[in-house]
Amino acid sequence: MKNYRSVEVNILGKNYRYKVNEPEEVINKILEEIKSEVEDYSRKIGSDKIDYILLLMLLNEKLNTIKTRQEIKDLIAKFSKSLNTTLNPFIETPENNDENKSVSWDEK
């Protein structure tokens, strides 16, 4: 069983406490980034809108996660295609059809 410990962060005068099992340096970095971002947003739209700010940040993180997953899928597909082309040069693909072969002969 993992060891959970309590962490606390104060954002805009309100304490938030969580139980975590990640390394302290990772959690501290994340909490500091969140605190800083919330404080930046609060200066722009008001500190009384903490729920709005936190939801906005959550939406941005989810959007970034979706984009990153798609980029990773695209990179895997590109790498797989490149690897297959390199390892299997004689498999016919649109890029590697008869017209694109450097060596060919006609049977008579």
Side-chain angles (χ1 to χ4, degrees):
M1 178 178 250
K2 294 184 178 186
N3 294 328
Y4 286 87
R5 61 184 172 73
S6 183
V7 296
E8 189 172 318
V9 62
N10 183 296
I11 300 176
L12 300 178
K14 187 170 181 179
N15 289 326
Y16 298 89
R17 186 176 298 185
Y18 302 94
K19 293 218 180 258
V20 298
N21 64 352
E22 298 298 325
E24 185 174 352
E25 62 275 1
V26 172
I27 294 300
N28 288 341
K29 182 178 179 184
I30 292 169
L31 290 175
E32 283 302 314
E33 286 182 24
I34 290 171
K35 181 178 180 173
S36 176
E37 194 171 342
V38 168
E39 290 171 350
D40 288 345
Y41 276 121
S42 74
R43 284 189 282 281
K44 296 173 187 171
I45 62 176
S47 61
D48 60 329
K49 307 232 182 201
I50 187 75
D51 293 341
Y52 177 82
I53 292 169
L54 293 174
L55 180 58
L56 177 61
M57 290 172 56
L58 178 61
L59 290 170
N60 285 335
E61 285 300 316
K62 282 299 198 180
L63 178 60
N64 287 335
T65 300
I66 290 168
K67 285 180 178 180
T68 301
R69 284 182 183 157
Q70 187 58 50
E71 288 172 0
I72 290 170
K73 285 179 183 177
D74 293 346
L75 284 171
I76 289 170
K78 183 178 179 179
F79 179 74
S80 293
K81 181 179 175 183
S82 176
L83 189 59
N84 284 336
T85 302
T86 302
L87 295 178
N88 301 308
F90 299 108
I91 294 176
E92 189 167 321
T93 63
E95 298 83 24
N96 189 17
N97 63 21
D98 287 337
E99 296 172 6
N100 293 328
K101 289 182 182 174
S102 58
V103 175
S104 66
W105 62 86
D106 292 327
E107 289 185 39
K108 294 187 182 194

